[in-house]
Amino acid sequence: MEYLKVSQVLKEKPIGKEVTVKGWLRSVRKSKAFSFLVINDGSSQGTLQIIVDANSIDNYEKVSSLLNGACVRVDGLIVESGGKGQDVEMQGRIVEIYGETDDSFPLQKKATSLEFLREQAHLRPRTNLFGAVFRIRHQMAMATHNFFNDRGFYYLNSPILTAVDAEGAGEMFQVTNLDMNNLPKNDKGQVDYTTDYFGKETNLCVTGQLEGECFAMGMGSVYTFGPTFRAENSNTPRHLSEFWMIEPEVAFMDLDGNAKLAQDYIQYLIRYTMEKAPAELEAIDKYLAFSAKSNKEKFESHLPILEKVRDTKFEQVTYTDAIDILNKSGHKFEFKPEWGVELQTEHERFLSEIHFKGPVTVTDYPRDCKAFYMKQNDDGKTVRAMDVLVPGVGEIIGGSQREEDLGKLQTRIKEMGMSEDPLWWYMELRKFGTAPHSGFGLGFERAIRYVTGMNNIRDVIPFPRTPKSCDF
Ligand code: 4AD
Ligand code: MG
């Protein structure tokens, strides 16, 4: 008998055919003569209703007493459904029980909070909501590869283990195989890293950008898509200690080209997801509406807004003008906007949510707010940086044109009190055949939050890692 995924049964509607389906029970309605089993196998949002007749299967007593979450294989006949909301259903002939559940199964029908489900991260893929979120995550990953591949970019696997602090922010997780209880010391009393695995201090990467630049300066256009790690002590709905980043890097591209690429990419992500996962977007929207209603909060679906963003040019403003807008707004901020200081989340959200009412690209930040590698403007104060801010999330993309002048880069590194030594190879990109180039990093989970409307970044990554939390 042919085994079909539930999604195939719902799509192909093989009426009159005997097939096999396998999945987990979402509900069981039992009566003496027959029972309704509703199963889902994760292949789509859809469920298949299966009717089992007491007289036509031999383990009816056992099958009809199954609880939610049990796993079964069913052979049966696909028939037209009389029920509302479904075209086909199955008349079960043979039910094999793979795995039962009991009363302690945590995913019961009653509404379960997202906080509770985070503690059940191993089981939440079985819920309607998380199935939707993670199918969308998959589609957005596919969209990413399609988008860059179609534009002639090469997919680059940048290393995860590194000896450089590429953002210069000191937020790195150290990697070592030294015995923590018996650290070797040098004659100054400091840890002797020459005996460590790599013979020097090493970390998990915070970005793949610097390696991306090496390949852009040879292969033209590349993008990375991999995990990055930050040991920042931020317990917020938009920070993770381990997150995924997509970082395109392009030779001969200036900041305007970079901003255009960022817009095209975000719009492509939205278009692709709306096309490939409309049922998932709908299901999440329904959940968010329901949950807002239970909390007596106002709810406005983000789907119509998303559609507009997909089709409208992003606003663009310089950092200096943005500070001006914030100060003239009359809005009361916790932190007063001040030129020379990095924008706070409240400022980012004001700009995108209230002032521009959509995504906005902020450019030309003060150089002291940004990393050493950004191209210096002639004013001696700002750099060719860009952040893309979106409503609800804030910063979703950070990027820049890169400093291609060796002398200027060396001066900047010195000014920032950094050492050139571990960056000798990065400097050589400027020494040998330098060229203008630019790139950016999109936080994958922030983008998923934006597209799905989910409020917490912990709910769009399979197993979130945050300060003091690394379970599963
Ligand atoms: O702005 P960031 O720090 O930029 C870079 O890492 C550059 N090397 C990118 C580049 O130019 N190639 O990080 C880029 C993006 C942010 O805009 C944000 O979306 C995301 O990465 N991000 C985080 N996402 C989740 N949790 C965190 N702790 C994040 N930190 C940054
Ligand atoms: Mg940033």
Side-chain angles (χ1 to χ4, degrees), residues 167 206-207 209 230 232 238-241 243 245 247-249 373 387 395-400 402 439-443 445-446 457:
E167 292 295 317
V206 293
T207 168
Q209 178 196 321
R230 297 208 182 168
E232 37 188 344
R238 49 185 229 136
H239 286 93
L240 289 165
S241 315
F243 62 99
M245 190 158 37
E247 295 184 275
E249 191 68 37
Y373 51 69
D387 277 6
E395 179 192 337
I396 186 171
I397 278 180
S400 70
R402 319 304 187 190
F440 63 79
L442 170 100
E445 289 75 18
R446 291 199 187 168
I457 200 162

Side-chain angles (χ1 to χ4, degrees), residues 65 116 208 236 252 281 287 349 353 404 433-434 450:
S65 340
F116 172 76
T236 79
F252 319 120
L281 286 169
Y287 169 85
R349 293 190 60 168
E353 282 161 37
E404 80 258 27
T434 194
Y450 180 55

Side-chain angles (χ1 to χ4, degrees), residues 103-115:
D103 291 337
S104 66
F105 181 57
L107 308 181
Q108 299 300 340
K109 257 262 162 356
K110 60 178 174 357
T112 31
S113 74
L114 295 176
E115 288 79 7

Side-chain angles (χ1 to χ4, degrees), residues 46-111:
T47 52
L48 181 68
Q49 173 164 282
I50 301 167
I51 307 147
V52 286
D53 192 318
N55 296 322
S56 53
I57 65 168
D58 30 298
N59 54 351
Y60 184 76
E61 239 350 275
K62 188 115 208 208
V63 168
S64 60
S65 340
L66 286 171
L67 301 174
N68 288 349
C71 189
V72 296
R73 184 203 96 207
V74 188
D75 299 345
L77 180 72
I78 302 298
V79 297
E80 212 166 314
S81 171
K84 219 175 78 193
Q86 66 209 14
D87 298 332
V88 292
E89 58 191 24
M90 180 186 253
Q91 289 173 355
R93 303 262 194 260
I94 296 169
V95 182
E96 179 189 354
I97 299 166
Y98 283 141
E100 293 180 50
T101 51
D102 58 35
D103 291 337
S104 66
F105 181 57
L107 308 181
Q108 299 300 340
K109 257 262 162 356
K110 60 178 174 357

